[in-house]
Each structure stands twice: as structure tokens, then as C-alpha cells.
Amino acid sequence: MSDLKDYLKAQQKSVDTALNSFLPRAKVRPATIHEAMRYSIFAGGKRLRPILTLAAAEACGGEEEAALPPACAVEIMHTYSLVHDDLPSMDDDDLRRGRPTSHKVYGEGMAVLTGDALLTEAFTILAETPPTKRYPLKEILLEFSICGGSRKLIGGQVLDLEGEGKNLSKAQLVRIHENKTAALLTTSLRLGGMTANATPRQLEALTDFGYNLGLAFQVIDDILDVTQSTEKLGKTAGKDEAVDKATYPSIIGLEKSKKEAQRLTKKSLASLSVFGKKSSRLEEIAHYLLDREY
Ligand code: GRG
């Protein structure tokens, strides 16, 4: 089995090749929107969510080919959320994935439309997912649409907006990230499992793994905002503190945040026992995310 870094590189390449073939060409008219969609998608990015989809399919004994449409769909939904989150009316960010944000390049109106178009395109691509015995296309669509809707991602963003300028408790912060970061990571994993006709027990294990891994990922994201440079992160470092945003370090302190990330990662790993050796990539990814520097 190859080293994790080689594995991640190879998976990023597979995902990028699939994204390139699924997305409308940049010259398709009206070209501006298709260029803008590709600008944000191919700006870099770790491709964590699609890699989790592929690794979850593998853990459940499935094929990578079948998992590529949902893998691309989750990456596109993630990218749409970043484009909209960076808008002046949301977090107002100038830099993302090491490049000027979409609205800085294409203007605010076009960035709104780019996010809308990406989200819509994600459903078009998701519809290419081959159904399995336990998971007809309806199940797959519901998993994805509920995750992206007002009960999860948008709901989390609403809590986030409403929490601005307030002193949030740790429980309130957890509630935001359960609905945003953890929800999308969980759906990424579950969709991978569905393409492999996962048993209910396997799907439950992926759900628990995703919940704790997602929260751990967000704790680390908050820590990195304080400890890393803008250059390393590819987005404005220190932004959370500058706008007085509630984060794990601001609520429980940096040291306790590191311990919390370790605790959540350990908890996530415990869910993987049902897969035996087949989940070794998921395990490696969880360890890697805990130690990441960007
Ligand atoms: C519709 C505006 C809107 C939002 C929906 C999910 C969500 C709600 C907003 C996402 C905005 C955001 C910055 C969430 C935090 C999640 C997070 C840690 C994003 C960064 O993920 P990485 O590090 O980024 O995987 P790359 O660039 O590597 O893909």
C-alpha cells in the first residue's frame, strides 16, 4: 500500500480529472459563468471531502468509479459554500485557496450566480451516481439535498450569522459546526458508502466517524487560523480574531482546543472498527488531518 501522501495526490488527481470532465467547458456560452465556476473549483483545495467519499466506498468494498459522481458533487457543493461565504455580505474575504476570491475577480453579482450555478451543477453530476440495491437514486438525492438545505448547511450558516457579535457558549459553537463542517463531511462519507451498497451498520459507522472527524476538522481549522500564516493557509490568517468571531480557541483557549481535536479524532477512529482493515485509508486520513498545517 502506497504512502499516504502519494495516495492523497493520486486521489486528488482522479477527482480533478472527473471534475474537469463533468463540469461545462469554460467556453460554453455564456462563457463568464463557466470560467468563474472553473476558477473557484480549480483554485487548489485539498479535495478532502471527495477523498473521504472514495475512501468510504473502499471501506465498504465498493469501486472508485461508482463513487466519483458523488465525490465531485460534494466538492462542488463545498466550493459553492466557500464562494458565497466569502461574499461581502457574509464573511467578506479577499483570498481563498491562495487566489483572490470570486467576487474580487468577477464582481459580486457574478459570484452569487457562480455559487448558485455550482450548487445546481452538483445535482446534475450527482444524478450520474449508479444506484445500488439498498440505495436508489432517490436516497442519494435526499442525502445530498438535506445536507445542503436549511436543516444542515444553510441552517448552520444562519446560526453563524445570528451569532455574530455575541458571546457564544461552546455548546452553541458545536451546534453551528455540527450543521456545517461536520454535516458535509458526514454526507461525503455516507454517499461513498451508498455507492458500495453499505449495510445499515456500516452507514451508521460512517455517520459517527464523520460527525467526530468533522468537529475535529473544524477545531483544527480554528487553531490554524491563529497559528499559521496567510501564505500557508491560502486564506486570510487571523481573520476570526480580527472580526471577533466565536471559535474554539476564543472560547476554550488554544491548549484545550488541541486536546479537544485529539479527543474527537480518537472518538472518530473508534467508529471504524466494523470495517477491519478496509478502513485503513480513513484512519490514516483522520491522523493526517489532526497533524495538518493548512
Ligand atoms: C450558503 C454561504 C453558505 C454557506 C453554507 C458550509 C457553509 C454553509 C459555509 C462554508 C463556509 C466555511 C468557510 C465553512 C468552514 C468549513 C471549512 C473548514 C472550510 C475549509 O475547508 P477546507 O480546509 O478547504 O477543506 P479547501 O480549500 O482545502 O477545500
Side-chain angles (χ1 to χ4, degrees), residues 34-69:
H34 299 118
E35 259 173 42
M37 288 161 79
R38 284 175 168 265
Y39 173 83
S40 289
I41 290 283
F42 295 111
K46 294 179 282 296
R47 306 299 192 219
L48 166 66
R49 292 150 194 84
I51 291 174
L52 287 175
T53 306
L54 302 180
E58 184 185 341
C60 300
E63 296 297 325
E64 178 171 309
E65 191 67 20
L68 276 169

mmCIF file of all heavy atoms in Angstrom, residues 34-69:
data_model
loop_
_atom_site.group_PDB
_atom_site.id
_atom_site.type_symbol
_atom_site.label_atom_id
_atom_site.label_comp_id
_atom_site.label_asym_id
_atom_site.label_seq_id
_atom_site.Cartn_x
_atom_site.Cartn_y
_atom_site.Cartn_z
ATOM 1 N N HIS A 34 -19.098 30.001 -16.759
ATOM 2 C CA HIS A 34 -18.387 28.716 -16.762
ATOM 3 C C HIS A 34 -16.912 28.895 -16.413
ATOM 4 O O HIS A 34 -16.322 28.063 -15.741
ATOM 5 C CB HIS A 34 -18.614 28.004 -18.106
ATOM 6 C CG HIS A 34 -20.067 27.724 -18.326
ATOM 7 N ND1 HIS A 34 -20.789 28.255 -19.362
ATOM 8 C CD2 HIS A 34 -20.956 27.016 -17.569
ATOM 9 C CE1 HIS A 34 -22.055 27.876 -19.253
ATOM 10 N NE2 HIS A 34 -22.171 27.122 -18.180
ATOM 11 N N GLU A 35 -16.359 30.019 -16.838
ATOM 12 C CA GLU A 35 -14.977 30.356 -16.430
ATOM 13 C C GLU A 35 -14.921 30.557 -14.921
ATOM 14 O O GLU A 35 -14.022 30.062 -14.255
ATOM 15 C CB GLU A 35 -14.579 31.699 -17.055
ATOM 16 C CG GLU A 35 -13.713 31.614 -18.280
ATOM 17 C CD GLU A 35 -13.546 33.008 -18.877
ATOM 18 O OE1 GLU A 35 -13.353 33.991 -18.121
ATOM 19 O OE2 GLU A 35 -13.666 33.113 -20.106
ATOM 20 N N ALA A 36 -15.902 31.300 -14.406
ATOM 21 C CA ALA A 36 -15.909 31.615 -12.968
ATOM 22 C C ALA A 36 -16.100 30.344 -12.127
ATOM 23 O O ALA A 36 -15.474 30.185 -11.078
ATOM 24 C CB ALA A 36 -17.004 32.631 -12.655
ATOM 25 N N MET A 37 -16.929 29.433 -12.603
ATOM 26 C CA MET A 37 -17.129 28.170 -11.875
ATOM 27 C C MET A 37 -15.808 27.407 -11.816
ATOM 28 O O MET A 37 -15.392 26.912 -10.775
ATOM 29 C CB MET A 37 -18.193 27.311 -12.584
ATOM 30 C CG MET A 37 -19.609 27.853 -12.423
ATOM 31 S SD MET A 37 -20.742 27.202 -13.671
ATOM 32 C CE MET A 37 -21.106 25.581 -13.003
ATOM 33 N N ARG A 38 -15.140 27.348 -12.963
ATOM 34 C CA ARG A 38 -13.865 26.626 -13.026
ATOM 35 C C ARG A 38 -12.768 27.347 -12.237
ATOM 36 O O ARG A 38 -11.895 26.709 -11.658
ATOM 37 C CB ARG A 38 -13.443 26.415 -14.492
ATOM 38 C CG ARG A 38 -14.253 25.316 -15.157
ATOM 39 C CD ARG A 38 -13.967 25.157 -16.619
ATOM 40 N NE ARG A 38 -14.575 23.912 -17.081
ATOM 41 C CZ ARG A 38 -13.925 22.752 -17.169
ATOM 42 N NH1 ARG A 38 -12.644 22.681 -16.883
ATOM 43 N NH2 ARG A 38 -14.567 21.669 -17.557
ATOM 44 N N TYR A 39 -12.819 28.662 -12.217
ATOM 45 C CA TYR A 39 -11.821 29.445 -11.462
ATOM 46 C C TYR A 39 -11.819 29.010 -9.990
ATOM 47 O O TYR A 39 -10.768 28.747 -9.410
ATOM 48 C CB TYR A 39 -12.145 30.938 -11.575
ATOM 49 C CG TYR A 39 -11.278 31.822 -10.705
ATOM 50 C CD1 TYR A 39 -10.011 32.223 -11.129
ATOM 51 C CD2 TYR A 39 -11.727 32.255 -9.448
ATOM 52 C CE1 TYR A 39 -9.220 33.035 -10.329
ATOM 53 C CE2 TYR A 39 -10.942 33.063 -8.637
ATOM 54 C CZ TYR A 39 -9.685 33.451 -9.085
ATOM 55 O OH TYR A 39 -8.898 34.247 -8.284
ATOM 56 N N SER A 40 -13.014 28.911 -9.401
ATOM 57 C CA SER A 40 -13.073 28.555 -7.970
ATOM 58 C C SER A 40 -12.827 27.069 -7.732
ATOM 59 O O SER A 40 -12.188 26.691 -6.751
ATOM 60 C CB SER A 40 -14.429 28.961 -7.375
ATOM 61 O OG SER A 40 -14.483 30.366 -7.291
ATOM 62 N N ILE A 41 -13.310 26.235 -8.630
ATOM 63 C CA ILE A 41 -13.104 24.785 -8.454
ATOM 64 C C ILE A 41 -11.621 24.419 -8.600
ATOM 65 O O ILE A 41 -11.089 23.644 -7.798
ATOM 66 C CB ILE A 41 -13.940 23.980 -9.484
ATOM 67 C CG1 ILE A 41 -15.435 24.076 -9.174
ATOM 68 C CG2 ILE A 41 -13.482 22.524 -9.554
ATOM 69 C CD1 ILE A 41 -15.925 23.220 -8.026
ATOM 70 N N PHE A 42 -10.971 24.984 -9.608
ATOM 71 C CA PHE A 42 -9.575 24.589 -9.862
ATOM 72 C C PHE A 42 -8.567 25.572 -9.254
ATOM 73 O O PHE A 42 -7.471 25.737 -9.762
ATOM 74 C CB PHE A 42 -9.345 24.382 -11.366
ATOM 75 C CG PHE A 42 -10.146 23.229 -11.898
ATOM 76 C CD1 PHE A 42 -11.212 23.432 -12.759
ATOM 77 C CD2 PHE A 42 -9.862 21.934 -11.496
ATOM 78 C CE1 PHE A 42 -11.982 22.368 -13.224
ATOM 79 C CE2 PHE A 42 -10.621 20.857 -11.946
ATOM 80 C CZ PHE A 42 -11.682 21.071 -12.818
ATOM 81 N N ALA A 43 -8.969 26.199 -8.142
ATOM 82 C CA ALA A 43 -8.061 27.132 -7.473
ATOM 83 C C ALA A 43 -7.139 26.398 -6.501
ATOM 84 O O ALA A 43 -6.367 27.030 -5.791
ATOM 85 C CB ALA A 43 -8.881 28.173 -6.725
ATOM 86 N N GLY A 44 -7.227 25.083 -6.448
ATOM 87 C CA GLY A 44 -6.458 24.328 -5.445
ATOM 88 C C GLY A 44 -7.470 23.687 -4.521
ATOM 89 O O GLY A 44 -8.558 23.331 -4.942
ATOM 90 N N GLY A 45 -7.153 23.610 -3.259
ATOM 91 C CA GLY A 45 -8.086 22.944 -2.335
ATOM 92 C C GLY A 45 -7.606 21.525 -2.116
ATOM 93 O O GLY A 45 -7.092 20.879 -3.036
ATOM 94 N N LYS A 46 -7.810 21.051 -0.914
ATOM 95 C CA LYS A 46 -7.256 19.738 -0.531
ATOM 96 C C LYS A 46 -8.051 18.578 -1.095
ATOM 97 O O LYS A 46 -7.608 17.455 -1.087
ATOM 98 C CB LYS A 46 -7.240 19.643 1.007
ATOM 99 C CG LYS A 46 -6.282 20.635 1.649
ATOM 100 C CD LYS A 46 -6.291 20.550 3.162
ATOM 101 C CE LYS A 46 -7.469 21.213 3.819
ATOM 102 N NZ LYS A 46 -7.544 22.679 3.629
ATOM 103 N N ARG A 47 -9.299 18.847 -1.515
ATOM 104 C CA ARG A 47 -10.198 17.794 -2.022
ATOM 105 C C ARG A 47 -10.499 16.768 -0.937
ATOM 106 O O ARG A 47 -10.680 15.570 -1.226
ATOM 107 C CB ARG A 47 -9.600 17.070 -3.249
ATOM 108 C CG ARG A 47 -9.175 17.957 -4.402
ATOM 109 C CD ARG A 47 -10.300 18.739 -4.973
ATOM 110 N NE ARG A 47 -9.985 19.382 -6.245
ATOM 111 C CZ ARG A 47 -10.404 20.600 -6.585
ATOM 112 N NH1 ARG A 47 -11.116 21.333 -5.752
ATOM 113 N NH2 ARG A 47 -10.121 21.093 -7.760
ATOM 114 N N LEU A 48 -10.527 17.247 0.309
ATOM 115 C CA LEU A 48 -10.765 16.332 1.421
ATOM 116 C C LEU A 48 -12.102 15.595 1.309
ATOM 117 O O LEU A 48 -12.177 14.381 1.484
ATOM 118 C CB LEU A 48 -10.710 17.119 2.750
ATOM 119 C CG LEU A 48 -11.261 16.357 3.948
ATOM 120 C CD1 LEU A 48 -10.382 15.148 4.266
ATOM 121 C CD2 LEU A 48 -11.371 17.265 5.162
ATOM 122 N N ARG A 49 -13.166 16.339 1.022
ATOM 123 C CA ARG A 49 -14.497 15.719 1.024
ATOM 124 C C ARG A 49 -14.626 14.624 -0.037
ATOM 125 O O ARG A 49 -15.062 13.517 0.283
ATOM 126 C CB ARG A 49 -15.576 16.818 0.915
ATOM 127 C CG ARG A 49 -15.621 17.677 2.174
ATOM 128 C CD ARG A 49 -16.047 19.102 1.935
ATOM 129 N NE ARG A 49 -15.767 19.952 3.095
ATOM 130 C CZ ARG A 49 -14.572 20.520 3.322
ATOM 131 N NH1 ARG A 49 -13.570 20.355 2.489
ATOM 132 N NH2 ARG A 49 -14.383 21.244 4.397
ATOM 133 N N PRO A 50 -14.234 14.894 -1.305
ATOM 134 C CA PRO A 50 -14.311 13.802 -2.279
ATOM 135 C C PRO A 50 -13.383 12.632 -1.951
ATOM 136 O O PRO A 50 -13.741 11.478 -2.215
ATOM 137 C CB PRO A 50 -13.898 14.470 -3.596
ATOM 138 C CG PRO A 50 -13.263 15.758 -3.234
ATOM 139 C CD PRO A 50 -13.857 16.177 -1.936
ATOM 140 N N ILE A 51 -12.247 12.923 -1.346
ATOM 141 C CA ILE A 51 -11.342 11.816 -0.987
ATOM 142 C C ILE A 51 -12.005 10.954 0.092
ATOM 143 O O ILE A 51 -11.910 9.724 0.072
ATOM 144 C CB ILE A 51 -9.944 12.348 -0.562
ATOM 145 C CG1 ILE A 51 -9.225 12.933 -1.783
ATOM 146 C CG2 ILE A 51 -9.107 11.250 0.087
ATOM 147 C CD1 ILE A 51 -7.896 13.613 -1.509
ATOM 148 N N LEU A 52 -12.737 11.596 0.989
ATOM 149 C CA LEU A 52 -13.470 10.810 2.007
ATOM 150 C C LEU A 52 -14.543 9.949 1.346
ATOM 151 O O LEU A 52 -14.775 8.812 1.758
ATOM 152 C CB LEU A 52 -14.108 11.745 3.043
ATOM 153 C CG LEU A 52 -13.142 12.411 4.034
ATOM 154 C CD1 LEU A 52 -13.896 13.400 4.924
ATOM 155 C CD2 LEU A 52 -12.419 11.378 4.904
ATOM 156 N N THR A 53 -15.193 10.495 0.315
ATOM 157 C CA THR A 53 -16.221 9.707 -0.393
ATOM 158 C C THR A 53 -15.581 8.445 -0.983
ATOM 159 O O THR A 53 -16.111 7.335 -0.837
ATOM 160 C CB THR A 53 -16.866 10.554 -1.520
ATOM 161 O OG1 THR A 53 -17.341 11.767 -0.954
ATOM 162 C CG2 THR A 53 -18.004 9.816 -2.201
ATOM 163 N N LEU A 54 -14.446 8.627 -1.634
ATOM 164 C CA LEU A 54 -13.768 7.489 -2.274
ATOM 165 C C LEU A 54 -13.277 6.485 -1.225
ATOM 166 O O LEU A 54 -13.418 5.270 -1.399
ATOM 167 C CB LEU A 54 -12.596 7.975 -3.136
ATOM 168 C CG LEU A 54 -12.932 8.977 -4.262
ATOM 169 C CD1 LEU A 54 -11.667 9.366 -5.038
ATOM 170 C CD2 LEU A 54 -13.972 8.410 -5.228
ATOM 171 N N ALA A 55 -12.727 7.004 -0.120
ATOM 172 C CA ALA A 55 -12.196 6.100 0.918
ATOM 173 C C ALA A 55 -13.327 5.366 1.643
ATOM 174 O O ALA A 55 -13.161 4.211 2.062
ATOM 175 C CB ALA A 55 -11.344 6.884 1.910
ATOM 176 N N ALA A 56 -14.492 6.021 1.771
ATOM 177 C CA ALA A 56 -15.633 5.355 2.418
ATOM 178 C C ALA A 56 -16.157 4.230 1.526
ATOM 179 O O ALA A 56 -16.531 3.158 2.009
ATOM 180 C CB ALA A 56 -16.743 6.364 2.709
ATOM 181 N N ALA A 57 -16.171 4.494 0.210
ATOM 182 C CA ALA A 57 -16.603 3.444 -0.726
ATOM 183 C C ALA A 57 -15.666 2.239 -0.606
ATOM 184 O O ALA A 57 -16.117 1.084 -0.550
ATOM 185 C CB ALA A 57 -16.613 3.989 -2.154
ATOM 186 N N GLU A 58 -14.382 2.521 -0.527
ATOM 187 C CA GLU A 58 -13.387 1.446 -0.394
ATOM 188 C C GLU A 58 -13.607 0.668 0.919
ATOM 189 O O GLU A 58 -13.571 -0.572 0.925
ATOM 190 C CB GLU A 58 -11.971 2.060 -0.419
ATOM 191 C CG GLU A 58 -10.857 1.029 -0.374
ATOM 192 C CD GLU A 58 -9.469 1.676 -0.282
ATOM 193 O OE1 GLU A 58 -9.326 2.870 -0.612
ATOM 194 O OE2 GLU A 58 -8.545 0.967 0.142
ATOM 195 N N ALA A 59 -13.859 1.397 1.998
ATOM 196 C CA ALA A 59 -14.067 0.733 3.304
ATOM 197 C C ALA A 59 -15.263 -0.230 3.246
ATOM 198 O O ALA A 59 -15.289 -1.243 3.935
ATOM 199 C CB ALA A 59 -14.284 1.774 4.395
ATOM 200 N N CYS A 60 -16.250 0.110 2.394
ATOM 201 C CA CYS A 60 -17.449 -0.739 2.292
ATOM 202 C C CYS A 60 -17.341 -1.736 1.135
ATOM 203 O O CYS A 60 -18.340 -2.370 0.768
ATOM 204 C CB CYS A 60 -18.691 0.135 2.111
ATOM 205 S SG CYS A 60 -18.976 1.271 3.473
ATOM 206 N N GLY A 61 -16.164 -1.846 0.543
ATOM 207 C CA GLY A 61 -15.939 -2.844 -0.505
ATOM 208 C C GLY A 61 -16.401 -2.417 -1.887
ATOM 209 O O GLY A 61 -16.625 -3.269 -2.756
ATOM 210 N N GLY A 62 -16.547 -1.113 -2.122
ATOM 211 C CA GLY A 62 -17.037 -0.628 -3.424
ATOM 212 C C GLY A 62 -15.935 -0.222 -4.389
ATOM 213 O O GLY A 62 -14.747 -0.338 -4.079
ATOM 214 N N GLU A 63 -16.359 0.270 -5.559
ATOM 215 C CA GLU A 63 -15.434 0.670 -6.620
ATOM 216 C C GLU A 63 -15.329 2.194 -6.682
ATOM 217 O O GLU A 63 -16.340 2.891 -6.557
ATOM 218 C CB GLU A 63 -15.964 0.188 -7.981
ATOM 219 C CG GLU A 63 -16.048 -1.312 -8.135
ATOM 220 C CD GLU A 63 -14.680 -1.985 -8.051
ATOM 221 O OE1 GLU A 63 -13.692 -1.374 -8.528
ATOM 222 O OE2 GLU A 63 -14.598 -3.100 -7.499
ATOM 223 N N GLU A 64 -14.129 2.668 -6.984
ATOM 224 C CA GLU A 64 -13.901 4.112 -7.062
ATOM 225 C C GLU A 64 -14.756 4.762 -8.157
ATOM 226 O O GLU A 64 -15.321 5.838 -7.958
ATOM 227 C CB GLU A 64 -12.414 4.372 -7.333
ATOM 228 C CG GLU A 64 -12.120 5.844 -7.464
ATOM 229 C CD GLU A 64 -10.635 6.153 -7.527
ATOM 230 O OE1 GLU A 64 -9.891 5.675 -6.650
ATOM 231 O OE2 GLU A 64 -10.236 6.876 -8.456
ATOM 232 N N GLU A 65 -14.849 4.083 -9.295
ATOM 233 C CA GLU A 65 -15.572 4.620 -10.451
ATOM 234 C C GLU A 65 -17.004 5.060 -10.082
ATOM 235 O O GLU A 65 -17.445 6.152 -10.453
ATOM 236 C CB GLU A 65 -15.620 3.509 -11.519
ATOM 237 C CG GLU A 65 -16.099 3.927 -12.878
ATOM 238 C CD GLU A 65 -15.124 4.886 -13.587
ATOM 239 O OE1 GLU A 65 -13.932 4.932 -13.219
ATOM 240 O OE2 GLU A 65 -15.596 5.610 -14.485
ATOM 241 N N ALA A 66 -17.683 4.200 -9.322
ATOM 242 C CA ALA A 66 -19.076 4.497 -8.947
ATOM 243 C C ALA A 66 -19.154 5.666 -7.975
ATOM 244 O O ALA A 66 -20.166 6.371 -7.906
ATOM 245 C CB ALA A 66 -19.718 3.260 -8.324
ATOM 246 N N ALA A 67 -18.080 5.862 -7.195
ATOM 247 C CA ALA A 67 -18.110 6.910 -6.163
ATOM 248 C C ALA A 67 -17.690 8.277 -6.703
ATOM 249 O O ALA A 67 -17.815 9.277 -5.992
ATOM 250 C CB ALA A 67 -17.214 6.495 -4.997
ATOM 251 N N LEU A 68 -17.212 8.325 -7.952
ATOM 252 C CA LEU A 68 -16.717 9.616 -8.465
ATOM 253 C C LEU A 68 -17.816 10.674 -8.650
ATOM 254 O O LEU A 68 -17.585 11.845 -8.307
ATOM 255 C CB LEU A 68 -15.916 9.420 -9.756
ATOM 256 C CG LEU A 68 -14.446 9.041 -9.524
ATOM 257 C CD1 LEU A 68 -13.776 8.598 -10.815
ATOM 258 C CD2 LEU A 68 -13.645 10.180 -8.885
ATOM 259 N N PRO A 69 -19.023 10.314 -9.156
ATOM 260 C CA PRO A 69 -20.034 11.385 -9.263
ATOM 261 C C PRO A 69 -20.389 12.038 -7.917
ATOM 262 O O PRO A 69 -20.323 13.269 -7.800
ATOM 263 C CB PRO A 69 -21.221 10.688 -9.933
ATOM 264 C CG PRO A 69 -20.617 9.529 -10.663
ATOM 265 C CD PRO A 69 -19.468 9.076 -9.820
#
